[in-house]
Amino acid sequence: MSPPWHPERLAARLPFLRRRARLRAEVAGFLAARGYAEVETPVLQPCPGMEPNLDPFVTRYAAKLGTEARPLFLQFSPEFAMKKLLAGGAGPIFQFARVFRNGEAGPCHQPEFTMLEWYRPGLDLAGLMDETEALLRAVVPEGLRRGGRVVATDRPFARLTVAEAFDRFVGVDVLASAGDAAGLAAAAGVALRPGETWQDLFFRLLLERIEPAIGQDVPAFLTHWPAAEAALARRDPADPRVALRFELFAAGLELANAYEELTDPDEQRARFAAWRAERLAATGEDRAPDEDFLAALEHGLPPCAGIALGFDRLAMLACGARRIEDVLWLPAV
């Protein structure tokens, strides 16, 4: 096969690439009109993120050639850096960030890709859903296209909680099963695989039964995730079993992950410690947290909500492209 820069292959992608460029400009214009400032933060970070299921690219930095070098990581997300700016008083901000995840490949994955993230102080999860819906309606009014299906953006998006989705599509009370893998397997009518944890089974059922069923006619927000999957979201004060988190799905793709952000530095440090122990037990790697990020939380992160949206995937659905490579000028792999 000819390389992706070959005139014939590039010409075949040009309509998609031109639509991508317009999409980026339209997204930036939408956010700027709402008072967001575009920022740029470093790709190289002292810690790429703490999630135990993500594998980083590692490089080494020396202040001068021949001197001792220290490791730096290509970021999973600009989240830590952008929250530092929020703690410093930057106000509403957005970024088209280059992000990196090792061990990911496929029709909808690249190890290097573009993440659109935006954060607004004072915004709650419901307000962020409203804004995300308004953004997609403004920049892709014709709908999202994949495999001959059109997912309408000119109608209200679906909103359902994780508990509602598991009740409807799996037939289980997922919150009542929290931490009980055998109980969840029995209720769902599946065999528990060797070594499968509750979290493993939760995501297997989500992938097999829920994701294919939602976001097919209109995009769907899946909200209020179990507290064990809170990540960097704060727990719901009205129901501590769940976290104020949503993911957005359309045409069988996860497009975005969003939080009403955790601002408590002590709880954040405890979550990082748990992730650190989990990674150490699973891989033998000991990953220290970004202490500068924790210092920013200590200084004071304002109440806010933020979202990470896979811009390449949005471009795919805006163009009706089959593969992520179709909307990239030059794929990394």
Side-chain angles (χ1 to χ4, degrees):
M1 180 183 292
S2 58
W5 53 261
H6 191 277
E8 289 183 2
R9 288 189 64 189
L10 184 58
R13 299 200 309 281
L14 275 177
F16 296 147
L17 295 168
R18 288 171 178 148
R19 178 67 179 101
R20 176 195 175 100
R22 294 197 306 273
L23 183 67
R24 178 170 175 144
E26 290 162 358
V27 167
F30 176 93
L31 292 171
R34 289 190 169 220
Y36 286 86
E38 185 170 6
V39 300
E40 293 178 296
T41 57
V43 167
L44 290 172
Q45 294 290 328
C47 175
M50 296 296 292
E51 297 90 339
N53 61 312
L54 297 180
D55 192 22
F57 289 94
V58 186
T59 187
R60 301 192 67 80
Y61 167 70
K64 293 182 179 180
L65 290 178
T67 62
E68 185 177 356
R70 61 186 176 93
L72 290 174
F73 302 86
L74 299 181
Q75 65 185 355
F76 294 149
S77 158
E79 180 171 5
F80 289 178
M82 293 180 76
K83 286 181 178 176
K84 293 175 188 178
L85 294 178
L86 291 172
I93 53 176
F94 78 96
Q95 180 171 190
F96 291 94
R98 301 300 289 179
V99 298
F100 304 83
R101 298 183 184 183
N102 211 344
E104 295 193 1
C108 301
H109 293 84
Q110 276 279 308
E112 177 182 356
F113 59 100
T114 299
M115 190 81 84
L116 166 65
E117 297 204 16
W118 73 93
Y119 297 82
R120 179 181 285 278
L123 194 64
D124 63 12
L125 202 69
L128 184 56
M129 284 190 277
D130 291 342
E131 187 164 74
T132 304
E133 185 169 339
L135 171 64
L136 265 63
R137 185 169 292 122
V139 302
V140 200
E142 70 276 18
L144 304 168
R145 294 174 289 133
R146 188 183 186 209
R149 174 180 290 275
V150 178
V151 179
T153 55
D154 60 353
R155 307 202 311 267
F157 292 11
R159 301 186 185 193
L160 72 164
T161 68
V162 168
E164 289 168 342
F166 269 81
D167 178 60
R168 186 181 309 174
F169 300 113
V170 185
V172 302
D173 183 344
V174 71
L175 297 180
S177 78
D180 180 5
L184 178 58
V190 300
L192 195 63
R193 295 170 178 170
E196 192 169 36
T197 66
W198 182 90
Q199 284 85 359
D200 294 335
L201 180 56
F202 170 85
F203 281 106
R204 173 155 68 101
L205 294 170
L206 182 72
L207 179 66
E208 293 177 355
R209 301 195 190 179
I210 295 174
E211 289 188 18
I214 63 176
Q216 298 297 336
D217 298 315
V218 295
F221 294 108
L222 190 61
T223 76
H224 295 82
W225 286 60
E229 300 305 322
L232 276 71
R234 75 185 190 99
R235 293 195 187 201
D236 186 349
D239 185 354
R241 298 178 302 166
V242 299
L244 294 171
R245 171 185 178 183
F246 74 72
E247 290 192 358
L248 175 64
F249 295 88
L253 281 182
E254 177 202 337
L255 276 181
N257 185 30
Y259 311 137
E260 192 167 314
E261 303 293 347
L262 178 63
T263 59
D264 182 335
D266 294 330
E267 185 173 351
Q268 188 64 81
R269 186 177 289 278
R271 291 188 194 179
F272 281 169
W275 277 348
R276 185 176 186 176
E278 183 179 344
R279 173 172 285 276
L280 184 61
T283 68
E285 179 197 357
D286 185 20
R287 183 183 301 166
D290 182 347
E291 291 293 340
D292 191 48
F293 169 65
L294 292 168
L297 294 189
E298 292 279 2
H299 177 80
L301 178 67
C304 59
I307 183 168
L309 187 150
F311 183 73
D312 305 305
R313 290 188 175 188
L314 180 60
M316 283 176 62
L317 296 184
C319 301
R322 292 181 302 161
R323 302 179 304 273
I324 197 168
E325 290 87 348
D326 293 334
V327 297
L328 301 179
W329 284 95
L330 284 175
V333 295

